[in-house]
Amino acid sequence: RCTIDAARDVEAERSKAGLDRELKLAGDLAVAQVKKRIADCLVDALLPKSVGAALDDPAFMQQLILEIAKNWDLGRTNVDVEIVLSKQAQQAMADRFAAQTRELLDRGIEVGFSDDLKSGFRIQPKDGGYRVSFAEENFVAYFRDFLRERTRKVLFPENEQEAAQESGDQTGQQR
């Protein structure tokens, strides 16, 4: 009878230990998901405004377009390229681009405007074969993952130390 009770006690302790591990894992997962959602909400609230402000700045747009155009390898593609801006940007950009437009045209790049774009610009062959888009939604998507990770590190810096300790990574402790 003692052996049966001892076996039950051992089995109960194993079950309790297993349950404790599962509860801790579920709790850790829930905390991680809440932290992720907080960071995601923050990035999703701030990023579009920041990108939108940058793309609404004619000086920034001019610098960005000219830098891309200067580094676009026209000789390698052997394609007539055009830069298409939003119709909304037409007047603001026309004034700023007056001198630089000649440089772009001399390189074989045309500048056009389209109602299809809300903000930003795109580069495409004149025949329309492909498009490289630099619209607001493209910039937001590009920076979202990068900023989410950075935001999590800023909001929850203890996660790095905990993760390093849990994974057995000794690099943080060697300093």
Side-chain angles (χ1 to χ4, degrees):
R1 177 142 178 114
C2 253
T3 342
I4 294 174
D5 288 340
R8 283 187 194 156
D9 289 346
V10 169
E11 184 59 33
E13 283 299 316
R14 281 189 197 147
S15 293
K16 182 181 180 299
L19 183 59
D20 287 346
R21 280 191 304 274
E22 287 183 35
L23 285 173
K24 182 178 180 344
L25 183 63
D28 290 347
L29 183 61
V31 168
Q33 288 178 344
V34 167
K35 288 179 178 182
K36 179 187 179 302
R37 286 185 182 154
I38 290 170
D40 289 353
C41 286
L42 190 59
V43 168
D44 289 344
L46 298 176
L47 185 61
K49 292 176 187 173
S50 299
V51 169
L55 294 179
D56 287 341
D57 179 4
F60 173 77
M61 288 293 292
Q62 176 188 8
Q63 181 182 357
L64 182 63
I65 291 169
L66 291 174
E67 194 62 34
I68 290 171
K70 285 178 188 174
N71 291 298
W72 196 271
D73 190 357
L74 294 173
R76 201 178 93 208
T77 59
N78 199 24
V79 173
D80 291 331
V81 175
E82 80 177 318
I83 295 175
V84 180
L85 297 131
S86 67
K87 278 282 192 186
Q88 297 164 332
Q90 187 169 6
Q91 186 56 44
M93 299 307 275
D95 296 339
R96 297 192 71 83
F97 265 126
Q100 286 83 8
T101 301
R102 175 59 42 207
E103 180 184 331
L104 294 176
L105 293 173
D106 289 345
R107 293 193 65 223
I109 299 174
E110 286 188 17
V111 177
F113 299 91
S114 171
D115 289 323
D116 296 343
L117 288 172
K118 294 179 184 173
S119 67
F121 63 98
R122 68 178 176 247
I123 298 175
Q124 64 190 33
K126 290 179 194 168
D127 65 8
Y130 62 86
R131 292 180 176 176
V132 180
S133 181
F134 296 91
E136 182 175 338
E137 51 276 358
N138 302 117
F139 282 109
V140 168
Y142 178 76
F143 287 113
R144 182 171 276 133
D145 290 335
F146 171 77
L147 290 176
R148 280 182 179 157
E149 186 60 33
R150 294 282 181 163
T151 302
R152 277 188 227 130
K153 287 179 180 179
V154 168
L155 292 175
F156 312 110
E158 74 279 356
N159 285 353
E160 290 181 52
Q161 294 169 353
E162 289 173 11
Q165 289 171 356
E166 288 176 8
S167 69
D169 181 8
Q170 301 298 317
T171 57
Q173 296 174 356
Q174 292 176 351
R175 290 184 186 171

